[in-house]
Amino acid sequence: MDEGTQFLVTELEHLMSLPLDSKAERDAWYVESKTVQKALRERFANLEYPHDLWHFLADADIRARDPGYRKYQEQMVTDYITKAKSEHQTR
């Protein structure tokens, strides 16, 4: 797995583990997310990944109030992580 993909997988796993139940938790989540977004722009600008991952990084407030959207996004992120790890193991 290349460095950029490894970074993104690690950060997505971390973000998925963070709670979103309170405003303070969502605020903390967004601080973490903004750090990831900045690194993607500055360190891994050429990394290719699904556009929907940007929505995951930006939509914690929506996930907190919409269980269906939360489930959709969490499944999309889990699928990306699984695929990235699977592709790494087959190389």
Side-chain angles (χ1 to χ4, degrees):
M1 183 179 316
D2 65 82
E3 181 184 5
T5 302
Q6 179 61 54
F7 169 81
L8 184 54
V9 164
T10 300
E11 295 303 318
L12 289 170
E13 288 175 328
H14 173 67
L15 289 169
M16 291 272 289
S17 74
L18 299 176
L20 297 174
D21 300 320
S22 70
K23 182 175 181 335
E25 289 170 341
R26 288 187 297 278
D27 290 346
W29 195 95
Y30 277 121
V31 169
E32 299 277 341
S33 175
K34 288 184 188 313
T35 301
V36 173
Q37 292 176 52
K38 182 178 181 189
L40 288 171
R41 282 191 309 271
E42 294 178 0
R43 294 175 45 207
F44 305 109
N46 294 324
L47 181 64
E48 293 184 16
Y49 50 87
H51 176 77
D52 282 348
L53 290 179
W54 274 110
H55 291 283
F56 175 78
L57 295 172
D59 293 347
D61 58 324
I62 299 171
R63 276 194 311 283
R65 68 177 183 264
D66 183 338
Y69 190 65
R70 183 177 194 149
K71 183 178 179 179
Y72 162 76
Q73 282 201 326
E74 288 177 349
Q75 187 62 57
M76 179 265 308
V77 171
T78 299
D79 290 348
Y80 174 80
I81 291 168
T82 300
K83 182 178 178 192
K85 287 180 176 183
S86 173
E87 288 177 357
H88 172 68
Q89 291 176 351
T90 60
R91 290 184 184 185

